[in-house]
Amino acid sequence: MAKCEICEKNMLFGRHISITRSQVSRRAKRNWKVNVRHVKIDDNGTPRYAYVCASCLRSGKVTRAVKQAAAE
């Protein structure tokens, strides 16, 4: 599983607890996956691809690379 290259966010592990919460046997192991995108970013003027989570994209920690217009 990929992780964010900016904030190092990775997969989380925990337990899924049933609604009744009465029996310990109903607590199953569960994984929460990170919302990671494979995007083209601008890294000091050079575009490259990187795995970045959605929260880093929304907060502006990363600038996405802009496609160059075709020369006429």
Side-chain angles (χ1 to χ4, degrees), residues 18-57:
S18 66
I19 295 171
T20 59
R21 296 175 183 252
S22 61
Q23 295 180 358
V24 177
S25 63
R26 291 195 179 157
R27 297 180 183 193
K29 292 181 181 177
R30 181 167 190 265
N31 300 333
W32 283 272
K33 293 183 181 175
V34 174
N35 189 5
V36 174
R37 306 286 181 208
H38 192 235
V39 294
K40 195 175 202 178
I41 64 171
D42 189 17
D43 189 20
N44 297 329
T46 59
R48 70 176 182 94
Y49 282 97
Y51 287 103
V52 181
C53 67
S55 60
C56 287
L57 284 172

